[in-house]
Amino acid sequence: MTLGMLASQVMAGKIKPDQSVDKWKLFRALCKQKPLLGVGDRALAVLNALLSFYPKNELAQGNGLIVFPSNIQLSLRTHGMAHTKLVRRHLALVEAGLLLRKDSPNGKRYVAQGQGRGGRPKAFGFSLAPLLARAEEESNRLAAAVMAERLHVQRLGERITLCRRDIAKLIEAAVEEEIVGDWQGLYREFRDLIESLPRSPTTAQLELLLDELTGLRTDILNRLESRVKSAKQRRNADYIERHIQ
């Protein structure tokens, strides 16, 4: 028993009688939040397999929330994951507060007919109750993450626009002032970067473009500063030469 497991048990006890959630929508939300949950792809693959053993699409108290597949069945649905790895992924999911273990006296997973309250079947295995209990929390967290992502993309777009404007103006100024340099080549490089961006770019592609444009702008500024310094030095040398003569 760990504090994480204890917290999951407490949370599972607070499920509302009429509470339900689509198991696959919840699973997709969890996949998007995996860095915050502290679980990896393999653990999520085990969770996906466990959800596939749940007979209904809606997780709800009335449907029962315990699944009891054997390790052999789980291995088949996780494309041959080894027993030792399955155990590690189980523990990771339990520790992350996504599952509860409902152990039988002999440690096996099964359903016992007529042993529960009112003669109902009593199941031993993995309880999905923590998932149902956290459904609203995960939904709110996902909505907040989506809003944060949209804001991040918007800010990336603004910074890319400003960087594009700076580069275009710097190259234009260099050409107008007849500053020596391969400005046409730099302009082609600039256009190649812009045109390489897909019509529907990912956040990572926008971040990469911003980094490349920022690097190009820095390169152009360094070249201009170098040319300006060289021109100033030549003017100073000419001035000194004239006055000495």
Side-chain angles (χ1 to χ4, degrees):
M1 175 65 68
T2 66
L3 289 177
M5 297 176 189
L6 184 60
S8 297
Q9 287 187 354
V10 172
M11 184 178 292
K14 296 180 179 180
I15 296 174
K16 300 173 185 177
D18 59 345
Q19 190 173 347
S20 66
V21 65
D22 183 296
K23 64 181 181 181
W24 298 123
K25 286 183 180 179
L26 178 58
F27 179 73
R28 287 192 290 272
L30 293 172
C31 289
K32 292 179 181 178
Q33 296 299 310
K34 64 180 180 181
L36 299 175
L37 297 171
V39 295
D41 292 336
R42 292 292 185 88
L44 288 173
V46 173
L47 180 59
N48 180 80
L50 288 171
L51 286 172
S52 73
F53 286 103
Y54 189 76
K56 306 281 187 179
N57 278 333
E58 292 288 322
L59 290 178
Q61 283 276 40
N63 297 333
L65 291 169
I66 296 178
V67 292
F68 40 89
S70 67
N71 282 334
I72 293 176
Q73 291 172 316
L74 268 179
S75 180
L76 288 172
R77 295 205 187 179
T78 53
H79 307 289
M81 189 179 294
H83 170 70
T84 53
K85 291 184 178 180
L86 281 172
V87 172
R88 286 201 296 270
R89 309 312 173 197
H90 294 162
L91 294 176
L93 292 168
V94 171
E95 187 59 38
L98 301 177
L99 288 179
L100 275 179
R101 293 176 63 171
K102 294 289 185 179
D103 292 331
S104 65
N106 61 9
K108 294 184 181 295
R109 301 173 209 137
Y110 61 91
V111 60
Q113 297 294 332
Q115 291 192 12
R117 292 182 181 178
R120 289 178 296 179
K122 186 173 184 179
F124 299 98
F126 294 102
S127 172
L128 303 174
L131 284 177
L132 182 57
R134 294 178 61 165
E136 186 175 352
E137 170 195 338
E138 294 303 327
S139 177
N140 292 338
R141 182 187 292 180
L142 179 60
V146 169
M147 289 298 296
E149 180 71 5
R150 287 178 181 171
L151 183 59
H152 179 52
V153 169
Q154 179 182 339
R155 288 175 176 170
L156 281 173
E158 292 171 352
R159 292 174 64 188
I160 287 172
T161 298
L162 290 174
C163 203
R164 288 178 60 176
R165 189 181 305 166
D166 289 347
I167 291 171
K169 287 184 176 180
L170 287 170
I171 293 176
E172 183 181 353
V175 172
E176 288 181 354
E177 295 294 327
E178 297 183 348
I179 298 175
V180 177
D182 184 17
W183 306 115
Q184 291 298 325
L186 287 170
Y187 183 77
R188 283 194 300 271
E189 181 181 346
F190 167 57
R191 293 308 310 171
D192 287 343
L193 287 176
I194 300 302
E195 292 169 4
S196 67
L197 192 68
R199 296 187 66 178
S200 299
T202 63
T203 303
Q205 288 170 328
L206 289 172
E207 290 171 340
L208 178 61
L209 176 62
L210 179 59
D211 287 343
E212 291 175 330
L213 288 176
T214 301
L216 180 59
R217 179 176 60 185
T218 301
D219 181 32
I220 293 172
L221 282 170
N222 289 338
R223 294 187 188 209
L224 287 173
E225 288 177 1
S226 176
R227 299 292 188 277
V228 168
K229 287 180 180 178
S230 297
K232 186 176 181 181
Q233 289 171 353
R234 285 196 300 272
R235 287 196 299 271
N236 289 340
D238 291 344
Y239 178 82
I240 292 171
E241 185 178 351
R242 286 197 302 272
H243 281 74
I244 290 177
Q245 291 175 353

